[in-house]
Amino acid sequence: MKKFLATMASTLMAVSLVGCGASTSAGTPAPAASEAPAATAEAAPAATAEAAAAATDGDLSTKKVGVCIYQFSDNFMTLFRTELENYLISLGFSKENITIADGANDQATQTNQIDTFITDGVDVLIINPVNSSSAATITDKVVAANIPLVYINREPDESEEARWKDNGWKVTYVGCDARQSGTMQGEIIADLGLDAIDFNKNGKVDYIMIEGDPENVDAQYRTEFSVKALTDKGLEVNCLSDQVGNWDQTQGQQLVANALGQFGNDVEVVFCNNDAMALGAKQAIADAGRTVGKDIYLVGVDALTEVCEDVLSGAITGTVFNDHIAQSHSSADAAVNFLTGKTNEYYIGCDYVKVTKDNAQSILDSLK
Ligand code: GAL
């Protein structure tokens, strides 16, 4: 598959401004560790990790793994952590030596959990930070305790990742480039063609945007790049509303209900930064008497099973597969590499996959 990350130029990331037309980055954006080779996910394939595990003669069964998840109630991170635990066990770790902590979306809570893991002497930490801006503080205390660290899902910024490299620390990040997912969302809509989208015949794509947590680069980039994909194809856009739904289904439903109440039939496209919020949007659209595919379009990201089924039935226009299997395996493999004296790249990437009616069934099959 084409490696998206490798081609991107490096630049600074700016703070997200929520609101229609807000720009989420300065200049030409890029992944925080853009110099890292794109194919780094392949630097630690499962086979390598299994071989490494074997080389330790079952030693992994005695290794203690601490996992911090920003919030257990998040649908996508639930898939991620379940797969991560199962895969760690398949590599030879003991279930009782894997501890997974719920940060309950509170950085102070998560920081306490990290302190406890350090005191308990875990051998490796896998951390999905509540606030990626807290990464420097987290890294400092984990490195000081001489514990290798694998960040997942919420990418620390470029300067933080540069520190790992400059100091040769056993720290890495595993995740996908959210710009790719945003671009794919926009392409799903653009491919419909203006005639099909422009129900109110004003010559523009009138949309609402439902964002995830704006501190999160995934929310910033998906918001920006979904719209950019439309304008790159020469379509004129009109942002009716841009709201923060914090990755949450209930908030997504409420925000879309409000926007449909306010803008009515002028809403032609609903962009949601993730599928949980798209499921909420689907409900709000039905409640407003609108029909996806007939008088409105709806896209999400993640490819949750329920959403793939909705894409097949037409209840949701499309989504983007956020590969929790590849990401959880890569993070476990990276942990094993550190534990067995090997190194990792400082950025371990993964590709998204566009999901429409054409391939939703095969994505569903691959998730079984
Ligand atoms: C995104 C995912 C969202 C949410 C978020 C948490 O990658 O698409 O559904 O889980 O991570 O940071």
Side-chain angles (χ1 to χ4, degrees):
M1 198 180 287
K2 181 170 171 282
K3 294 296 173 189
F4 181 83
L5 297 173
T7 57
M8 292 301 171
S10 180
T11 190
L12 290 173
M13 200 185 302
V15 176
S16 169
L17 305 167
V18 175
C20 289
S23 170
T24 55
S25 63
T28 307
S34 58
E35 335 82 85
T40 46
E42 286 147 26
T48 310
E50 276 156 13
T56 62
D57 281 336
D59 254 356
L60 292 179
S61 69
T62 64
K63 298 289 183 197
K64 291 203 269 180
V65 187
V67 181
C68 292
I69 300 295
Y70 94 93
Q71 174 159 245
F72 273 13
S73 62
D74 181 293
N75 309 35
F76 174 74
M77 289 313 302
T78 299
L79 294 173
F80 195 125
R81 76 184 143 92
T82 306
E83 184 64 29
L84 176 62
E85 181 174 28
N86 290 338
Y87 183 66
L88 283 166
I89 292 167
S90 80
L91 290 180
F93 291 89
S94 306
K95 189 172 169 58
E96 60 271 22
N97 286 336
I98 303 166
T99 308
I100 309 183
D102 179 4
N105 205 23
D106 180 64
Q107 189 57 60
T109 299
Q110 185 178 70
T111 301
N112 282 335
Q113 291 164 343
I114 294 168
D115 290 342
T116 304
F117 278 135
I118 291 173
T119 310
D120 288 351
V122 294
D123 295 293
V124 65
L125 274 165
I126 299 175
I127 298 181
N128 166 215
V130 173
N131 296 329
S132 31
S133 56
S134 297
T137 314
I138 295 170
T139 303
D140 283 342
K141 63 169 69 187
V142 174
V143 166
N146 205 22
I147 298 170
L149 170 57
V150 179
Y151 281 108
I152 54 170
N153 173 258
R154 292 185 158 186
E155 187 176 2
D157 68 18
E158 189 173 10
S159 63
E160 169 59 10
E161 293 187 1
R163 286 195 321 138
W164 314 339
K165 195 173 187 178
D166 294 346
N167 293 291
W169 288 336
K170 288 183 181 170
V171 183
T172 185
Y173 171 74
V174 175
C176 304
D177 182 347
R179 288 170 304 172
Q180 188 186 37
S181 51
T183 300
M184 288 177 173
Q185 285 188 295
E187 287 172 354
I188 290 169
I189 297 302
D191 286 350
L192 299 166
L194 183 63
D195 283 351
I197 306 166
D198 190 17
F199 298 109
N200 66 4
K201 299 292 167 216
N202 68 352
K204 298 175 187 168
V205 177
D206 299 285
Y207 70 92
I208 60 174
M209 181 69 66
I210 307 297
E211 298 197 24
D213 177 352
E215 209 247 4
N216 198 187
V217 73
D218 285 5
Q220 297 166 24
Y221 278 155
R222 287 177 193 164
T223 297
E224 180 178 358
F225 281 77
S226 53
V227 176
K228 184 174 182 299
L230 296 178
T231 54
D232 281 354
K233 296 229 171 173
L235 292 165
E236 231 187 294
V237 294
N238 179 32
C239 176
L240 297 168
S241 178
D242 185 335
Q243 304 289 332
V244 172
N246 289 310
W247 306 120
D248 179 74
Q249 180 165 345
T250 309
Q251 290 185 48
Q253 180 171 343
Q254 190 57 54
L255 293 171
V256 174
N258 293 348
L260 291 174
Q262 189 175 353
F263 301 104
N265 289 341
D266 278 338
V267 181
E268 294 165 338
V269 175
V270 180
F271 283 111
C272 294
N273 282 173
N274 77 341
D275 277 356
M277 298 189 295
L279 286 169
K282 180 184 77 164
Q283 189 58 50
I285 287 168
D287 291 347
R290 307 280 297 274
T291 309
V292 170
K294 292 214 167 59
D295 56 26
I296 196 165
Y297 297 100
L298 169 63
V299 283
V301 175
D302 283 337
L304 300 179
T305 300
E306 191 181 344
V307 172
C308 289
E309 285 161 358
D310 285 335
V311 171
L312 275 176
S313 75
I316 291 180
T317 312
T319 184
V320 177
F321 179 39
N322 191 2
D323 193 341
H324 62 278
I325 299 171
Q327 291 172 76
S328 56
H329 291 198
S330 291
S331 43
D333 291 344
V336 171
N337 281 341
F338 282 142
L339 288 172
T340 54
K342 297 193 170 60
T343 56
N344 288 294
E345 299 290 346
Y346 293 95
Y347 184 101
I348 300 175
C350 168
D351 277 306
Y352 285 100
V353 180
K354 202 186 287 184
V355 183
T356 62
K357 237 177 204 172
D358 295 343
N359 65 341
Q361 187 60 55
S362 69
I363 297 288
L364 272 174
D365 293 344
S366 74
L367 292 174
K368 276 181 194 150

